[in-house]
Structures are given as structure tokens and as C-alpha cells.
């Protein structure tokens, strides 16, 4: 049997919508990164761009476990003095999209393809999003936070 290699004509990029309400950050990030890479498809190849578009709604209602509210998220712009650090508690109020994006980015491969895959991620604070014409399919994450039960 020959090895299957996906051709550009085989590529289809579906749209999925994920509700982040009471979902633990790590569990959400693993599921979203799997969809972005296309690992849920039987035609997956690590070098091919088979990933789907993912819309994450209710980013401000995500569950953080342990002592993450006291920890800080670091990022650097690449310029001198460009180190930025913000606490998770502060980011959860002001910019929860950055928390999810950083977690998903860490789970993608460290190569050129990761930027293409990360560009397919759309994160929204509330339940409203402008991507209704794409008719996204609902992707359900069964495991929610133990504190929410």
C-alpha cells in the first residue's frame, strides 16, 4: 500500500464553533489546536495545511484551575525593553482572548505552518460573532470544570 499524501485539491477548511463557558483552559486549548491542525481528519499529514477554522465564544467565562489567577503571562515584542507581563486575573477581565490564544499557540508546532493555523482561530468575548454566514458546526467539549458542577 502506498503512503497517502494530501493534494491541494483535497483540502477543505470547515468552520467549527466552540463554547468556552466553564471549560478548563488546557482542555479547551488541546481541542482547539487539534481542530486547527486537522488531526481530527483521516487524511492528516503533519506537513500539509488541513486545519479548520475555529470560533471560540464566551472567552470571558473560561475556567482557570489551580493558582493560575495569581500567575503571570509573559510575552516579548522582540525589541529592547519589550517584555510584557500581565496577571491572568487582570487579563481575564480586560483581554481574555489573549489567554486562550497564548495557550493554543503553545500547543501548535513551532514552524511556519503554525502561523497559518493560528490565523484561522477567531476568539470572541461574548456569545455574538460575525461568522454566521459560514454556518459553523458546533463542537462540543464534554469535560467542563469541576467548580462549575
Amino acid at each position: 500500500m502506498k503512503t497517502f499524501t494530501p493534494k491541494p485539491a483535497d483540502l477543505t477548511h470547515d468552520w467549527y464553533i466552540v463554547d468556552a463557558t466553564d471549560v478548563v483552559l488546557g482542555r479547551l486549548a488541546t481541542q482547539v489546536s487539534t481542530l486547527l491542525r486537522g488531526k481530527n481528519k483521516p487524511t492528516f499529514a503533519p506537513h500539509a495545511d488541513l486545519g479548520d477554522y475555529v470560533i471560540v465564544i464566551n472567552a470571558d467565562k473560561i475556567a482557570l484551575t489551580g493558582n493560575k489567577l495569581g500567575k503571570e503571562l509573559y510575552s516579548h515584542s522582540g525589541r529592547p525593553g519589550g517584555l510584557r507581563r500581565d496577571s491572568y486575573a487582570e487579563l481575564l477581565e480586560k483581554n481574555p482572548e489573549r489567554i486562550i490564544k497564548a495557550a493554543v499557540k503553545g500547543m501548535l508546532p513551532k514552524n511556519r505552518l503554525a502561523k497559518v493555523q493560528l490565523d484561522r482561530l477567531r476568539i470572541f468575548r461574548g456569545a455574538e460573532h460575525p461568522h454566521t454566514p459560514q454556518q459553523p458546526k458546533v463542537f462540543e467539549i464534554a469535560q467542563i470544570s469541576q467548580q462549575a458542577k
Side-chain angles (χ1 to χ4, degrees), residues 16-139:
Y16 289 98
I17 187 163
V18 178
D19 189 3
T21 306
D22 295 328
V23 179
V24 178
L25 176 63
R27 295 191 190 279
L28 175 76
T30 54
Q31 296 292 327
V32 169
S33 64
T34 301
L35 290 172
L36 288 174
R37 288 194 69 195
K39 290 188 87 170
N40 58 331
K41 297 180 180 181
T43 58
F44 172 73
H47 66 279
D49 185 21
L50 296 170
D52 298 321
Y53 289 88
V54 179
I55 304 164
V56 178
I57 58 172
N58 295 322
D60 55 346
K61 297 178 184 158
I62 195 160
L64 296 174
T65 58
N67 193 22
K68 285 194 193 74
L69 289 174
K71 291 188 177 182
E72 294 176 334
L73 179 67
Y74 290 91
S75 63
H76 200 287
S77 67
R79 304 191 52 98
L83 183 65
R84 177 179 186 161
R85 77 176 183 207
D86 299 307
S87 68
Y88 277 99
E90 180 182 312
L91 282 174
L92 197 58
E93 293 175 10
K94 293 182 180 177
N95 193 3
E97 298 91 356
R98 191 170 151 219
I99 296 174
I100 296 173
K101 191 167 190 172
V104 171
K105 182 180 180 182
M107 294 186 181
L108 291 176
K110 305 330 184 240
N111 57 20
R112 294 180 198 160
L113 196 54
K115 182 185 181 325
V116 175
Q117 293 167 347
L118 196 61
D119 286 343
R120 290 205 182 98
L121 177 63
R122 311 288 202 276
I123 305 171
F124 298 99
R125 177 183 291 257
E128 299 298 318
H129 64 88
H131 301 289
T132 50
Q134 283 79 16
Q135 299 171 345
K137 302 172 196 162
V138 176
F139 186 81

Side-chain angles (χ1 to χ4, degrees), residues 1-23:
M1 177 184 262
K2 289 193 168 192
T3 303
F4 174 76
T5 303
K7 312 288 186 291
D10 300 335
L11 302 181
T12 58
H13 302 293
D14 299 327
W15 285 77
Y16 289 98
I17 187 163
V18 178
D19 189 3
T21 306
D22 295 328
V23 179

